[in-house]
Structures are given as structure tokens and as C-alpha cells.
Amino acid sequence: MKGHYDEIIALPGFENVAAVQNDNVYIMSNGFAFAPHYPAALATMAKWLYPETFADLNPEEIHQEYIDTFFGIDFDVSEQGVFEYPQQGS
């Protein structure tokens, strides 16, 4: 994800984009954003765009609950997955 992020912000002309200048560029895996676990992706976007308003929202917790409830597999989203960049808390 970081490599893709770096490619995006390095595109010609992007040095003039306020989001790039202010370090407010975020990317998300298509498979995360447009899948049944969309509520976790939506929560992630809410935190990116309105961090003060959604300070108590934990997208990683929402995603982990989805994995645990509907997949029933041993998968820790914070340790084994990369779904967005920069990752929450980065």
C-alpha cells in the first residue's frame, strides 16, 4: 500500500494539491471499501475526514468484529491485514 501511496502523491502536479502538501492523502483497498465489511471502511473514512467528531469510533474494532462474527477464523486485522494507508494510528 505504501508503494501505491507514494506513486499517487508523486504524480506530476500533485505537489500543488493541498491534501498532498498537508499530508492528508489516504488510500484504501478496493476489496475493503467495496465488500460486505463496508461499515468498517466507512468508519475509517469518517475518522480520516472528521477525526475530532469520530474520536470515539474504532474502525479496526468494527472490522475485527465482522471477521470474528461472519468468518469465524483466527485473523487479527491489526496484525495480519493492510486495508488502508496510512493505517489508523500511523
Side-chain angles (χ1 to χ4, degrees), residues 7-36:
E7 289 175 14
I8 291 169
I9 64 170
L11 289 169
F14 274 39
E15 70 274 3
N16 300 315
V17 174
V20 174
Q21 294 172 348
N22 298 324
D23 199 27
N24 286 323
V25 175
Y26 307 96
I27 62 171
M28 181 177 290
S29 163
N30 187 46
F32 181 55
F34 300 104

Side-chain angles (χ1 to χ4, degrees), residues 3 8 12 14 21 25-26 32 43 45-46 54 60 65-67 70-71 73-74 76-77 79 89-90:
I8 291 169
F14 274 39
Q21 294 172 348
V25 175
Y26 307 96
F32 181 55
M45 288 185 280
F54 295 104
E60 194 172 86
E65 181 179 355
Y66 168 77
I67 296 293
F70 296 105
F71 284 76
I73 59 174
D74 184 20
D76 185 331
V77 298
E79 297 294 322
S90 295

Side-chain angles (χ1 to χ4, degrees), residues 51-64:
E52 296 84 18
T53 302
F54 295 104
D56 62 337
L57 192 62
N58 187 331
E60 194 172 86
E61 188 177 280
I62 294 167
H63 193 190
Q64 189 65 57

